[in-house]
Amino acid sequence: VMKLSDSVKTLPGVGDVLSNKLAQANISTVADCIHTLPRVYDDYSQVTPISQLRPGPVSIEATIQSISGRYVRRGMHITEAIAQDDSGSVRIVWFNQSYRSRQFKAGDKYFLSGEYKLSRQRFTLMNPAAEASSNFPINTARIVPKYREVHGITSRELRKIIKATLPLIDSLEETLPNWLIKQQSLMSRSAALKQLHFPDSVDKLSEAKQRYGFEEVFELTLAALLNKEAFRRDESSKIPFKPELAKSFVDKLPFNLTDSQRRAVWQIYQDMQRNEPMNRLLEGDVGSGKTVVACMAALMAISSGYQVAFMAPTELLAQQHFATINTLLKPLGYRNEVALLTGSLSASKKTEVQKHIAAGKKQFIVGTHALITENVSMQHLGLVIVDEQHRFGVDQRKKLQQKAGHMPHVLHMTATPIPRSLALTVYGELDISLLIDKPAERSTVSTQLISAKGKEQMYRDVLKQLAAGRQAFVVCPLVEPSESLPVPSATTMYEALKQGVFSKYTVGLLHGKQKPADKEATMQAYLRKEIDVLVATTVVEVGVDVPNATVMIIEGAERFGLAQLHQLRGRVGRSEHQAYCYLVMSQNVSPSRRLRALESSNDGFRLAELDLELRGPGSLYSTLQHGALDLRVASLTDTELIAAARNAAREFIDKQEDLLQYPELRGRVERLRTITNLH
Ligand code: ADP
Ligand code: MG
């Protein structure tokens, strides 16, 4: 009897060659096969009498009357055949499939599925798939599954081996509670898997997708809600809200808070006054002013004697945050309480800072994500602020708790705009504050698509900006030139611009392969305006703040996602000066609707929704998960399904159902609970 854990080699027709290819695609067991789902389907389910064929994709059931193959010229082989059924006969042509003339037995019936169309004045069935007539065809005369063909594995091969697993699929056990199956009228798991691979009809297929989509969102939300409950049971310190302090901070700001900043601050203060730990996501587009909000949260904590850890994704950003925070807190009399702790500090300096932190003299510690793993003792840690990239899952929270002796409040910040339906599902364990309105007096960045022809004019415009004392970014997709990708690289662009169009100005180079200290020095020089044009890779993507920079040139723009382009554009337009973003397309690339959207919209949320619409959930999954989550069927744009799955997850918890009863569900949910990437 076949088992899920059996090797693929036990399946009929899987020899060394195929099993090696499968291994490359991470398919090594029968279970892996079963869970390799089709990407799309071709509907060849209507078997039509030959006399009634209409142009388009068709299936027939027929005998082969005559068949012969020949080379028409070198490298071009043609097989011609006549197929016949009770109603008539039809000409068939295959190109470069010389084995076809040996495939058919005279008198036997076959299913043939392909495109029926005019070829040299005659209606012909072109390149049809063929297989012996049966009551369970897999390549023809049905809704035919098409798999992602990676590592040279064809759909035909996959269909054959998955067909061999059907008896096992039929006996698979249910993973969801029975009451839920009934309540939601879901197809059973084994029926759904069978329908996904070999659908009986369009309706059955959509029912199967519905079941799988529901299950995915249910598991994801259940994991999130279980985390949320567990996190709530931790004890945290109450951080009292002092209205006068908040007021004096706000009074000393050179601007007024936006309404959403005010609301977010208020929500955070509410959270921190409780002794269950805050676990909040502050989501706001680039330039929406998250740092001030974070700083106000921190202010309340340090004024009550707690320590705050602020973690940035890179050293560069930690530096900038350190500077910003100092500026913001100075008017309130905080000078020596803020510390920067990063890897590039000298050993002695580091020891000194760590000593001050341990003694509680340094209260506000800014660093990279290494802060929680590094050997720093923070006895009074009351609040952790995480800027971008990581969400603290179960394990990270344990680490924090051990470090601090109790669970601090946690504020996550992200500039990745995620449509609400998705945020609720993927970040279900977090409370969410949105910064929707942009700080006032921010002009929108004027954005323009540039083709090869338009570059000269673009450089003339940029030179005007430089002459007026402004600075420019030039972002390239690669560090060094690559033979396989015809895309501009930062190093070549740097040389070309330095010798060429910007020779009168100082040009700098910044990329991820440089030493941290060098990157640091370059960035500092750019900030001090000792560099006019900074050629870089996407290291400048997140958070870097250079208000005097008004030009962002993005080379090979078609290679970036909408969200990333929008992030890059957000590096400019941070002052009262009008800013410009030039999306330079590689040669022979024409402007897509996707790129055009950036010209007309400055709204990150809208762009994210558009990406979802144009590229499908897959585009978002890839930015969301780094492969950690593996949602395949769920349509996260399907708000009804999401609502139903969320309610069901809530009900599961309210019923105090024990996951131990559902081992497979439990395994998956436990894995989801540990996923910690924010995007
Ligand atoms: P982000 O959300 O991208 O991290 P920042 O916190 O870096 O944004 O803020 C971007 C810039 O906007 C900073 O220079 C900050 O001082 C400024 N800023 C923040 N809030 C406001 C506001 N309400 N009005 C005007 N400027 C603001
Ligand atoms: Mg920021």
Coordinates of all heavy atoms in Angstrom, one line a residue, residues 475-532:
V475 N 19.7 55.1 -9.2 CA 19.7 53.8 -8.7 C 19.7 52.8 -9.8 O 19.0 52.9 -10.8 CB 18.4 53.6 -7.9 CG1 18.2 52.1 -7.5 CG2 18.4 54.4 -6.6
C476 N 20.6 51.8 -9.7 CA 20.7 50.7 -10.7 C 20.3 49.4 -10.1 O 20.5 49.1 -9.0 CB 22.2 50.7 -11.2 SG 22.7 52.2 -11.9
P477 N 19.8 48.5 -11.0 CA 19.4 47.2 -10.5 C 20.6 46.3 -10.1 O 20.4 45.4 -9.3 CB 18.7 46.5 -11.7 CG 18.5 47.6 -12.7 CD 19.5 48.7 -12.4
L478 N 21.8 46.5 -10.6 CA 22.9 45.6 -10.3 C 24.1 46.4 -9.8 O 24.2 47.6 -10.0 CB 23.4 44.9 -11.6 CG 22.4 44.0 -12.3 CD1 23.1 43.5 -13.6 CD2 22.0 42.8 -11.4
V479 N 25.0 45.7 -9.0 CA 26.2 46.3 -8.6 C 27.2 46.4 -9.7 O 27.7 47.4 -10.1 CB 26.8 45.5 -7.4 CG1 28.1 46.1 -7.0 CG2 25.9 45.5 -6.2
E480 N 27.5 45.2 -10.3 CA 28.4 45.1 -11.4 C 27.8 44.6 -12.6 O 26.8 43.9 -12.6 CB 29.6 44.1 -11.0 CG 30.6 44.8 -10.1 CD 31.2 43.8 -9.1 OE1 31.1 42.6 -9.3 OE2 31.9 44.3 -8.2
P481 N 28.4 44.9 -13.8 CA 27.8 44.5 -15.0 C 27.7 43.0 -15.1 O 28.6 42.3 -14.6 CB 28.7 45.1 -16.1 CG 29.9 45.5 -15.4 CD 29.6 45.7 -14.0
S482 N 26.6 42.5 -15.7 CA 26.4 41.1 -15.8 C 26.3 40.7 -17.3 O 25.7 41.5 -18.1 CB 25.2 40.6 -15.1 OG 24.5 39.7 -15.8
E483 N 26.9 39.6 -17.7 CA 26.8 39.2 -19.1 C 25.4 38.8 -19.5 O 25.0 39.0 -20.6 CB 27.9 38.2 -19.4 CG 29.2 38.7 -19.5 CD 30.3 37.7 -20.0 OE1 29.9 36.6 -20.5 OE2 31.5 38.0 -19.8
S484 N 24.8 38.1 -18.6 CA 23.5 37.5 -18.9 C 22.3 38.6 -18.8 O 21.3 38.4 -19.5 CB 23.2 36.4 -18.0 OG 23.3 36.7 -16.7
L485 N 22.5 39.6 -18.0 CA 21.4 40.6 -17.9 C 21.9 41.9 -18.5 O 22.8 42.5 -18.1 CB 21.1 40.8 -16.4 CG 20.4 39.7 -15.7 CD1 20.2 40.1 -14.2 CD2 19.0 39.5 -16.3
P486 N 21.2 42.4 -19.6 CA 21.6 43.7 -20.2 C 21.0 44.8 -19.4 O 20.1 45.6 -19.9 CB 20.9 43.6 -21.6 CG 19.7 42.7 -21.4 CD 20.0 41.8 -20.2
V487 N 21.4 45.0 -18.2 CA 20.9 46.0 -17.3 C 22.0 46.9 -16.8 O 23.1 46.4 -16.5 CB 20.2 45.3 -16.1 CG1 19.5 46.3 -15.2 CG2 19.3 44.2 -16.5
P488 N 21.7 48.2 -16.6 CA 22.8 49.0 -16.1 C 23.3 48.6 -14.7 O 22.4 48.3 -13.9 CB 22.2 50.4 -16.1 CG 20.7 50.3 -16.4 CD 20.5 48.9 -16.9
S489 N 24.6 48.7 -14.5 CA 25.1 48.4 -13.1 C 25.6 49.7 -12.5 O 26.0 50.6 -13.2 CB 26.2 47.4 -13.2 OG 27.4 48.0 -13.8
A490 N 25.6 49.7 -11.2 CA 26.0 50.9 -10.4 C 27.5 51.3 -10.8 O 27.8 52.4 -11.0 CB 25.9 50.7 -9.0
T491 N 28.4 50.3 -10.8 CA 29.8 50.6 -11.1 C 30.0 51.2 -12.4 O 30.7 52.2 -12.6 CB 30.7 49.4 -10.9 OG1 30.1 48.3 -11.6 CG2 30.9 49.0 -9.4
T492 N 29.4 50.6 -13.5 CA 29.6 51.2 -14.8 C 28.9 52.6 -14.9 O 29.5 53.5 -15.5 CB 29.0 50.3 -16.0 OG1 27.9 49.7 -15.5 CG2 30.1 49.3 -16.4
M493 N 27.7 52.7 -14.3 CA 27.0 54.0 -14.4 C 27.8 55.1 -13.7 O 27.9 56.2 -14.1 CB 25.6 53.8 -13.7 CG 24.7 54.9 -13.9 SD 24.3 55.4 -15.6 CE 23.2 54.1 -16.1
Y494 N 28.4 54.7 -12.5 CA 29.2 55.6 -11.8 C 30.4 56.2 -12.6 O 30.6 57.4 -12.7 CB 29.8 54.9 -10.5 CG 30.9 55.6 -9.8 CD1 30.6 56.7 -9.1 CD2 32.2 55.1 -9.8 CE1 31.6 57.4 -8.4 CE2 33.2 55.7 -9.1 CZ 32.9 56.8 -8.4 OH 33.9 57.5 -7.7
E495 N 31.1 55.3 -13.3 CA 32.2 55.7 -14.1 C 31.7 56.6 -15.2 O 32.3 57.7 -15.5 CB 33.0 54.5 -14.7 CG 33.8 53.7 -13.7 CD 34.9 54.5 -13.0 OE1 35.3 55.5 -13.6 OE2 35.2 54.1 -11.8
A496 N 30.7 56.2 -15.9 CA 30.2 56.9 -17.1 C 29.7 58.3 -16.7 O 30.0 59.3 -17.4 CB 29.0 56.1 -17.7
L497 N 29.0 58.4 -15.6 CA 28.4 59.7 -15.2 C 29.6 60.6 -14.7 O 29.5 61.8 -15.0 CB 27.4 59.6 -14.1 CG 26.1 58.8 -14.5 CD1 25.1 58.7 -13.4 CD2 25.4 59.6 -15.7
K498 N 30.5 60.0 -14.0 CA 31.6 60.8 -13.4 C 32.5 61.5 -14.6 O 32.8 62.6 -14.5 CB 32.5 59.9 -12.6 CG 33.4 60.6 -11.6 CD 34.0 59.7 -10.6 CE 35.0 58.8 -11.3 NZ 36.0 58.2 -10.3
Q499 N 32.7 60.7 -15.6 CA 33.5 61.2 -16.7 C 32.7 62.0 -17.7 O 33.2 62.8 -18.4 CB 34.1 60.0 -17.5 CG 34.5 58.8 -16.8 CD 35.9 58.8 -16.4 OE1 36.8 59.2 -17.1 NE2 36.2 58.4 -15.2
G500 N 31.4 61.7 -17.7 CA 30.5 62.3 -18.7 C 29.7 63.4 -18.2 O 30.2 64.5 -17.8
V501 N 28.4 63.2 -18.2 CA 27.4 64.3 -18.1 C 27.5 65.1 -16.7 O 27.3 66.3 -16.7 CB 26.0 63.8 -18.3 CG1 25.6 62.8 -17.3 CG2 25.0 64.9 -18.3
F502 N 28.0 64.4 -15.7 CA 28.1 65.0 -14.4 C 29.6 65.3 -14.0 O 29.9 65.4 -12.8 CB 27.4 64.2 -13.3 CG 26.0 64.0 -13.5 CD1 25.4 62.8 -13.2 CD2 25.1 65.0 -13.9 CE1 24.0 62.6 -13.4 CE2 23.8 64.9 -14.1 CZ 23.2 63.6 -13.9
S503 N 30.4 65.5 -15.0 CA 31.9 65.6 -14.7 C 32.2 66.9 -13.9 O 33.2 66.9 -13.2 CB 32.7 65.6 -16.0 OG 32.2 66.7 -16.8
K504 N 31.3 67.9 -13.9 CA 31.6 69.1 -13.1 C 31.2 68.9 -11.7 O 31.4 69.8 -10.8 CB 30.7 70.3 -13.7 CG 31.2 70.8 -15.0 CD 30.9 72.3 -15.1 CE 31.4 72.9 -16.5 NZ 30.5 72.3 -17.6
Y505 N 30.5 67.8 -11.4 CA 30.0 67.6 -10.0 C 30.7 66.4 -9.3 O 31.4 65.6 -10.0 CB 28.5 67.4 -10.0 CG 27.8 68.6 -10.5 CD1 27.4 68.8 -11.8 CD2 27.4 69.6 -9.5 CE1 26.8 70.0 -12.2 CE2 26.8 70.8 -9.9 CZ 26.4 70.9 -11.2 OH 25.8 72.1 -11.6
T506 N 30.5 66.3 -8.1 CA 31.1 65.1 -7.4 C 30.1 64.0 -7.4 O 29.0 64.1 -7.0 CB 31.4 65.5 -5.9 OG1 31.9 66.8 -5.8 CG2 32.3 64.5 -5.3
V507 N 30.6 62.8 -7.9 CA 29.7 61.7 -8.0 C 30.2 60.6 -7.0 O 31.4 60.4 -6.9 CB 29.8 61.1 -9.4 CG1 28.8 59.9 -9.6 CG2 29.4 62.2 -10.5
G508 N 29.3 60.0 -6.3 CA 29.7 59.0 -5.3 C 29.0 57.6 -5.7 O 28.1 57.6 -6.5
L509 N 29.5 56.6 -5.0 CA 29.1 55.2 -5.3 C 28.7 54.5 -4.0 O 29.5 54.5 -3.1 CB 30.1 54.5 -6.1 CG 29.9 53.0 -6.5 CD1 28.7 52.9 -7.4 CD2 31.1 52.4 -7.1
L510 N 27.6 53.9 -4.0 CA 27.1 53.2 -2.8 C 26.5 51.9 -3.2 O 25.5 51.9 -3.9 CB 26.1 54.1 -2.0 CG 25.6 53.5 -0.7 CD1 26.7 53.7 0.4 CD2 24.3 54.3 -0.3
H511 N 27.0 50.8 -2.7 CA 26.3 49.5 -2.9 C 26.6 48.5 -1.8 O 27.5 48.7 -1.0 CB 26.6 48.9 -4.3 CG 28.1 48.7 -4.5 ND1 28.8 47.7 -3.9 CD2 29.0 49.3 -5.3 CE1 30.0 47.7 -4.3 NE2 30.2 48.6 -5.1
G512 N 25.8 47.4 -1.8 CA 25.8 46.4 -0.8 C 27.1 45.6 -0.6 O 27.4 45.0 0.4
K513 N 28.0 45.7 -1.7 CA 29.2 44.9 -1.6 C 30.3 45.7 -0.9 O 31.4 45.2 -0.7 CB 29.6 44.4 -3.0 CG 28.8 43.3 -3.5 CD 29.4 42.7 -4.8 CE 28.5 41.6 -5.4 NZ 28.9 41.3 -6.7
Q514 N 30.1 47.0 -0.6 CA 31.1 47.7 0.1 C 31.2 47.4 1.5 O 30.2 46.9 2.1 CB 30.8 49.2 -0.2 CG 31.0 49.7 -1.6 CD 30.4 51.1 -1.9 OE1 29.4 51.5 -1.2 NE2 30.9 51.8 -2.8
K515 N 32.3 47.8 2.2 CA 32.4 47.6 3.6 C 31.4 48.6 4.3 O 31.2 49.7 3.9 CB 33.8 47.9 4.1 CG 34.8 46.9 3.7 CD 36.1 47.0 4.6 CE 37.3 46.5 3.9 NZ 38.1 47.5 3.2
P516 N 30.9 48.1 5.4 CA 29.9 49.0 6.2 C 30.5 50.4 6.4 O 29.9 51.4 6.3 CB 29.7 48.3 7.5 CG 29.9 46.8 7.1 CD 31.0 46.8 6.1
A517 N 31.8 50.4 6.8 CA 32.5 51.7 7.1 C 32.5 52.6 5.9 O 32.3 53.8 6.0 CB 33.9 51.5 7.7
D518 N 32.8 52.0 4.7 CA 32.8 52.8 3.5 C 31.4 53.3 3.1 O 31.3 54.5 2.7 CB 33.4 52.0 2.3 CG 34.8 51.6 2.5 OD1 35.5 52.2 3.4 OD2 35.3 50.7 1.9
K519 N 30.5 52.5 3.2 CA 29.1 52.9 2.9 C 28.7 54.1 3.8 O 28.2 55.1 3.3 CB 28.1 51.7 3.2 CG 28.0 50.7 2.1 CD 26.8 49.8 2.3 CE 27.1 48.7 3.3 NZ 26.1 47.7 3.4
E520 N 29.0 53.9 5.1 CA 28.8 54.9 6.1 C 29.4 56.2 5.7 O 28.7 57.3 5.7 CB 29.5 54.4 7.3 CG 29.3 55.1 8.6 CD 27.8 55.0 8.9 OE1 27.3 53.9 9.0 OE2 27.2 56.1 9.1
A521 N 30.7 56.2 5.3 CA 31.4 57.4 5.0 C 30.8 58.1 3.8 O 30.6 59.3 3.8 CB 32.9 57.1 4.7
T522 N 30.4 57.3 2.8 CA 29.8 57.8 1.6 C 28.5 58.5 1.9 O 28.2 59.6 1.4 CB 29.6 56.7 0.5 OG1 30.8 56.0 0.3 CG2 29.0 57.3 -0.8
M523 N 27.7 57.8 2.7 CA 26.4 58.4 3.0 C 26.5 59.7 3.8 O 25.8 60.6 3.6 CB 25.6 57.3 3.8 CG 24.1 57.4 3.7 SD 23.5 57.3 2.1 CE 22.2 58.5 2.1
Q524 N 27.4 59.7 4.8 CA 27.6 60.9 5.5 C 28.1 62.0 4.6 O 27.6 63.1 4.8 CB 28.8 60.7 6.6 CG 28.4 59.6 7.6 CD 27.3 60.1 8.6 OE1 26.8 61.2 8.5 NE2 27.0 59.2 9.6
A525 N 28.9 61.7 3.7 CA 29.4 62.8 2.8 C 28.2 63.3 1.9 O 28.1 64.5 1.7 CB 30.5 62.2 1.8
Y526 N 27.4 62.4 1.5 CA 26.2 62.8 0.8 C 25.3 63.7 1.6 O 24.8 64.7 1.1 CB 25.4 61.5 0.3 CG 24.4 61.8 -0.7 CD1 24.6 62.4 -2.0 CD2 23.1 61.4 -0.5 CE1 23.6 62.6 -2.9 CE2 22.0 61.6 -1.4 CZ 22.3 62.2 -2.6 OH 21.3 62.4 -3.6
L527 N 25.1 63.3 2.8 CA 24.3 64.1 3.8 C 24.9 65.5 4.0 O 24.2 66.5 4.0 CB 24.2 63.4 5.1 CG 23.1 62.4 5.3 CD1 23.2 61.6 6.6 CD2 21.7 63.2 5.3
R528 N 26.2 65.6 4.0 CA 26.9 66.9 4.2 C 27.0 67.6 2.9 O 27.7 68.7 2.9 CB 28.3 66.6 4.8 CG 28.3 66.2 6.3 CD 29.7 66.4 6.9 NE 30.7 65.6 6.1 CZ 31.1 64.3 6.5 NH1 30.6 63.8 7.6 NH2 31.9 63.7 5.8
K529 N 26.5 67.0 1.9 CA 26.5 67.7 0.5 C 27.9 67.7 -0.1 O 28.1 68.6 -0.9 CB 25.8 69.1 0.6 CG 25.0 69.3 -0.6 CD 24.4 70.8 -0.6 CE 24.1 71.3 -2.0 NZ 25.3 71.4 -2.9
E530 N 28.8 66.9 0.3 CA 30.1 66.8 -0.3 C 30.0 65.9 -1.6 O 30.9 65.9 -2.4 CB 31.1 66.2 0.7 CG 31.4 67.1 1.8 CD 32.0 66.4 3.0 OE1 32.5 65.3 2.9 OE2 32.1 67.1 4.1
I531 N 28.9 65.2 -1.7 CA 28.6 64.5 -2.9 C 27.3 65.0 -3.5 O 26.4 65.2 -2.8 CB 28.5 63.0 -2.6 CG1 29.8 62.4 -2.2 CG2 27.9 62.2 -3.8 CD1 29.7 60.9 -1.7
D532 N 27.3 65.3 -4.9 CA 26.2 65.8 -5.5 C 25.3 64.7 -6.1 O 24.0 64.8 -6.0 CB 26.6 66.8 -6.6 CG 27.4 67.9 -6.1 OD1 26.9 68.7 -5.3 OD2 28.6 68.0 -6.5

